[in-house]
Amino acid sequence: MNGRYNMVLSGVGGQGLMLLSNVIGTACAQEGLPVITGEQHGLSQRSGSISVHLRMGEGTYGPLVPPGDADVMIAMEATEALRYIEFLRDDGYIIMNTRLMHHPLETMRHVREDAATEPYFSLDEVRKRVRSVTPNVLEVDALHLAEAAGNARAENVVLLGAACGLPGFPLKKETVKDVIGGVVPEKTIDANMKAFDAGDGACCDAFG
Amino acid sequence: MLANEAIARAVVESDVKVAAFYPGSPTSEILDTVSMFSGEFKDLTMEVSANEKVAFETAVGASLAGVRSFTSMKSVGLNVASDAFFSVGYTGVRGGMVLLVADDPHAHSSQSEQDGRFYAYPAHVPMLEPSTAQEAYEMTKWGFELSEKYSTLVLVRTTTRVNHQSAIVSVGEIKRSPFHRASWKDVGAHYYTLAATARRLKGEALERLSHIREEFEQSAFNIIEAGEGEVGIITSGVSYLYVREALETMDSRPHVLKLATTHPLPSDLIGTFLKDKRRIVIVEELMPYLEREIRSIAHERRIDVEIRGKLSGDFPLVGEYNVPIVRAGIASSLDIASADSYADVMSRAESLKEGLPVRSPIFCPGCPHRGTFWAVQQALKETPYVLNNDIGCYSMFLLEPYEVTDSLLCMGASLGLSSGMQHVLNDKVVAFVGDSTFFHAAIPGLLSAVHNNHDLTLVILNNSVTAMTGQQPNPGSDFGAAPVTKLDIPSVVKGLGVPHVAEVSAFEPKDNVETFKEALSYRGVSVVISHGPCALYNDRLKRHAGTPIVPNEVSHDTCQNIYACIRGVHCPAIELDTATGKSTIRSELCNGCMVCAKMCPVSAIYSTRGDDT
């Protein structure tokens, strides 16, 4: 590949973001592609918003993607795509899980304001706003695809499969799948491979 | 690999025999990785100590006895260990010993933006600063060599963005030597500092440092990258990476000096770099440590150069750096009008995010603290009180939606503060500590309160692990890298002479209100220990054992929209079904702790296990 390829992964603490970044990092190592990531650990994991920055390619540079510089963003939860939107370059790709996880503070506000039947901040709203930055948004119902593949916990692998299907993505699908096969529990390998392919398929349908 | 894993790898390759730790972000993964290695290499002893001072002293003891040793801690951890640290600066060490200290610019997970570099100078300890995971690995290894060559402790100083960088690291072979017990008479030395000995040792330490400076002048880790013109940048650590990247998008090409040996500074190298420059820009996070030192080097050598950085107002003193900040700072230092190319992106993002609900950290589904706090609040309903909180997951009581914390300073401070306040206030004085913090620094405060007949209530939130940093063991845990003895907190508390001690199960909030009321109305020192395992830790154990985690459900026929399961519970697994306005539980998040079910006055929440509600 030429130049640098920047990714931002976002989601909610506990969704398996670190596994995703480990898999991509290991796949880079196997392909001899320099990579550096900036991760969040500690307090931010407790059901809070988290992000991982991932940078591939030659050169000396830091662990953080500068604003407006990410080629692709993988959002494991839809509102978390919007939360880190400043990192995406114009016309960059977003792989966005359609899942919404409502924070207790938002729920509490509804209850306090006697608005229990009013809608939460919606997927439509997220969609409208992120599409003002880029038309290249792939929405993936990752939970549904992961369940169909046989493992509800493989949402992250579905989304990774989708990212690997993007035009210009610097890693080979086979390498990434090999790495996944090596890190997930043995009895879930088959389901994880199916989950990967489901994500890849969804991406190829959209951008292929 | 993560830089922290690379550091652990360096420790193992360096044939370290004893490593002791107390976990703290951003260093905890070093502990986790060394722990893993210690399972593989039986000649490596790894243990979790009660606090950083004990961990440091354990490593020093092993070094004095002749083997290589290691410890790592977060910035404020060194405050705890500092008493011993300053003395070891005098005595020196025997087996190579490295202390890694990680600062936390931006205070991501710390109570302050402490700058640990200022520890090296008064303690006469040499300091190395890596920028990348690869350098973190290499400098840790070099640290052991330096330590043995000069019989000195070596400090490796990192920051969060170095520790939590992950990159491809080329590593060496692991060759472990067999471990043999030694005899103290073979050591043939004494290690103490007092009076005349202290004065002699201080002289020796300073002498040692002057030799180390000479070696640092030649170090290949200090790099000069030639540029153009009479402008130079001096930087270190992760800031160097930001400098490199910022310069890519700028027109000027200043010379760059990257410093890796930041105490003692290679003053000849720096002097030579300054000599033919008109202006120098210092790029460093936290306090202007390099900037002051380099100003003084320029002054001593009568070099006429303008030095810009934080003191000149070109760079911020608060918060961490990133590429945009460094770019703006360099432009300002060079008096270049720089259109902030990031301003448009940032302001567009800000307007796009209007109304986006915040997602702050909050207690996990199944967290025992939720039920404990609910009961304490009920018990205190009619009583004016002050709550002195402490360091751990329960620090989050200071955040929304709770916002109930009157003070929070540092590990164990809730006890001492409570002692002072009960001398002055009419209010009921309440302190919170977790099990790990209790062992770490709260015991002296508690026994002092007992001894002085104070009037306060301590709630110990015992979740059996050091949860916040990644569920490492503490003295109250039943596991460790090697076999351990689990300390029983109620026995410890009773042994300290606390006159009123009670125990509750964290998951029985309603039943516990009365127990808390009794303790809170007791005149004197009372302690309530609330037991309940960390949900993250316990769920992981269950998954490994194949024990199912059974979620709860809400019966929408029974639910009467009372929201007792939402108010005061604030669980990420509970949300509203906006079609009906009723509560609903996300089965993939719920761990079935039943706290919400016990809150519901109409018993609408039941376990999907089917045998209880």
Side-chain angles (χ1 to χ4, degrees), chain B residues 170-297:
Chain B
S170 68
V171 297
E173 250 184 277
I174 296 180
K175 281 184 250 162
R176 308 284 303 173
S177 70
F179 170 73
H180 301 292
R181 282 196 174 273
S183 170
W184 183 252
K185 73 172 176 359
D186 299 333
V187 172
H190 305 288
Y191 296 90
Y192 52 77
T193 72
L194 264 183
T197 315
R199 292 189 290 273
R200 174 175 61 77
L201 289 176
K202 181 178 172 185
E204 289 174 13
L206 292 169
E207 174 72 19
R208 201 154 61 210
L209 274 185
S210 73
H211 295 303
I212 293 171
R213 185 188 65 78
E214 283 162 24
E215 178 159 351
F216 282 0
E217 296 284 359
Q218 310 301 324
S219 168
F221 286 113
N222 297 319
I223 300 165
I224 292 179
E225 292 171 354
E228 292 159 5
E230 297 175 305
V231 176
I233 291 177
I234 302 181
T235 183
S236 70
V238 76
S239 298
Y240 162 73
L241 301 176
Y242 300 145
V243 165
R244 282 285 302 249
E245 197 166 346
L247 290 178
E248 278 182 10
T249 60
M250 298 178 80
D251 291 332
S252 56
R253 283 200 63 240
H255 308 266
V256 177
L257 169 58
K258 173 197 183 296
L259 290 172
T261 61
T262 46
H263 183 72
L265 282 170
S267 44
D268 292 343
L269 178 74
I270 292 169
T272 310
F273 186 76
L274 297 180
K275 220 169 48 197
D276 52 356
K277 304 292 185 301
R278 186 175 46 82
R279 190 175 293 185
I280 289 288
V281 184
I282 312 284
V283 187
E284 61 182 322
E285 289 181 308
L286 300 178
M287 296 307 284
Y289 168 83
L290 292 176
E291 193 172 347
R292 283 191 189 284
E293 291 293 320
I294 289 166
R295 277 181 185 221
S296 118
I297 290 171

Side-chain angles (χ1 to χ4, degrees), chain A residues 4 36-37 39 43 46 49 55 62 77 79-80 83 86 90 99-101 103 116-118 120 129, chain B residues 29 164-166 245 248 345 348 352-354 357 359-362 467-468 563 576 578 586 588:
Chain A
R4 210 167 275 171
I36 179 167
T37 77
E39 302 176 2
L43 180 66
R46 306 291 174 263
S49 166
R55 316 188 70 190
E77 196 268 4
T79 62
E80 297 306 311
R83 198 176 311 281
E86 63 270 28
D90 288 359
R99 170 206 270 266
L100 288 177
M101 291 167 77
H103 192 272
T117 53
E118 284 186 15
Y120 282 102
R129 296 190 193 191
Chain B
E29 301 81 15
H164 287 165
Q165 247 179 58
S166 191
E245 197 166 346
E248 278 182 10
V345 170
R348 178 179 66 185
L352 285 175
K353 285 192 251 188
E354 212 181 289
R359 193 185 300 281
S360 46
I362 195 156
M468 176 67 91
Y563 307 125
L576 291 162
T578 52
R586 298 190 74 131
E588 81 279 13

Side-chain angles (χ1 to χ4, degrees), chain B residues 483-501:
Chain B
V484 293
T485 299
K486 173 183 154 81
L487 272 75
D488 180 55
I489 295 178
S491 308
V492 173
V493 170
K494 286 173 195 156
L496 293 175
V498 174
H500 182 104
V501 184

Side-chain angles (χ1 to χ4, degrees), chain B residues 149-466:
Chain B
K149 181 170 174 187
Y150 296 99
S151 301
T152 178
L153 173 70
V154 171
L155 180 65
V156 176
R157 185 262 189 177
T158 56
T159 56
T160 301
R161 296 294 183 186
V162 174
N163 296 86
H164 287 165
Q165 247 179 58
S166 191
I168 298 169
V169 179
S170 68
V171 297
E173 250 184 277
I174 296 180
K175 281 184 250 162
R176 308 284 303 173
S177 70
F179 170 73
H180 301 292
R181 282 196 174 273
S183 170
W184 183 252
K185 73 172 176 359
D186 299 333
V187 172
H190 305 288
Y191 296 90
Y192 52 77
T193 72
L194 264 183
T197 315
R199 292 189 290 273
R200 174 175 61 77
L201 289 176
K202 181 178 172 185
E204 289 174 13
L206 292 169
E207 174 72 19
R208 201 154 61 210
L209 274 185
S210 73
H211 295 303
I212 293 171
R213 185 188 65 78
E214 283 162 24
E215 178 159 351
F216 282 0
E217 296 284 359
Q218 310 301 324
S219 168
F221 286 113
N222 297 319
I223 300 165
I224 292 179
E225 292 171 354
E228 292 159 5
E230 297 175 305
V231 176
I233 291 177
I234 302 181
T235 183
S236 70
V238 76
S239 298
Y240 162 73
L241 301 176
Y242 300 145
V243 165
R244 282 285 302 249
E245 197 166 346
L247 290 178
E248 278 182 10
T249 60
M250 298 178 80
D251 291 332
S252 56
R253 283 200 63 240
H255 308 266
V256 177
L257 169 58
K258 173 197 183 296
L259 290 172
T261 61
T262 46
H263 183 72
L265 282 170
S267 44
D268 292 343
L269 178 74
I270 292 169
T272 310
F273 186 76
L274 297 180
K275 220 169 48 197
D276 52 356
K277 304 292 185 301
R278 186 175 46 82
R279 190 175 293 185
I280 289 288
V281 184
I282 312 284
V283 187
E284 61 182 322
E285 289 181 308
L286 300 178
M287 296 307 284
Y289 168 83
L290 292 176
E291 193 172 347
R292 283 191 189 284
E293 291 293 320
I294 289 166
R295 277 181 185 221
S296 118
I297 290 171
H299 181 74
E300 280 163 16
R301 290 166 196 243
R302 301 182 195 285
I303 300 169
D304 182 24
V305 57
E306 190 185 354
I307 293 175
R308 303 281 285 259
K310 290 172 187 279
L311 295 170
S312 56
D314 295 297
F315 284 85
L317 280 156
V318 180
E320 68 176 350
Y321 285 0
N322 53 33
V323 174
I325 288 172
V326 167
R327 193 171 183 271
I330 294 174
S332 161
S333 304
L334 301 182
D335 301 320
I336 304 170
S338 132
D340 182 355
S341 56
Y342 303 106
D344 293 346
V345 170
M346 296 307 284
S347 72
R348 178 179 66 185
E350 206 167 302
S351 66
L352 285 175
K353 285 192 251 188
E354 212 181 289
L356 176 69
V358 297
R359 193 185 300 281
S360 46
I362 195 156
F363 297 101
C364 305
C367 177
H369 300 338
R370 183 172 281 115
T372 304
F373 191 68
W374 185 89
V376 172
Q377 265 196 319
Q378 296 303 311
L380 282 165
K381 236 177 185 170
E382 311 299 325
T383 317
Y385 68 95
V386 57
L387 178 71
N388 296 313
N389 205 342
D390 224 302
I391 309 280
C393 287
Y394 49 95
S395 298
M396 292 193 290
F397 287 125
L398 71 83
L399 301 176
E400 275 194 285
Y402 296 96
E403 299 183 277
V404 184
T405 284
D406 295 301
S407 77
L408 194 163
L409 292 186
C410 61
M411 295 289 283
S414 61
L415 261 301
L417 291 175
S418 295
S419 284
M421 286 183 190
Q422 61 85 43
H423 281 306
V424 183
L425 297 175
N426 277 322
D427 312 65
K428 175 71 209 176
V429 178
V430 183
F432 270 25
V433 300
D435 46 337
S436 194
T437 305
F438 172 73
F439 290 116
H440 178 288
I443 290 174
L446 181 58
L447 66 86
S448 190
V450 171
H451 174 65
N452 292 304
N453 296 328
H454 290 168
D455 180 17
L456 57 87
T457 299
L458 168 66
V459 179
I460 301 179
L461 301 107
N462 176 25
N463 61 11
S464 77
V465 288
T466 308

Side-chain angles (χ1 to χ4, degrees), chain B residues 463-479:
Chain B
N463 61 11
S464 77
V465 288
T466 308
M468 176 67 91
T469 51
Q471 302 98 53
Q472 291 84 2
N474 66 54
S477 309
D478 59 5
F479 67 100

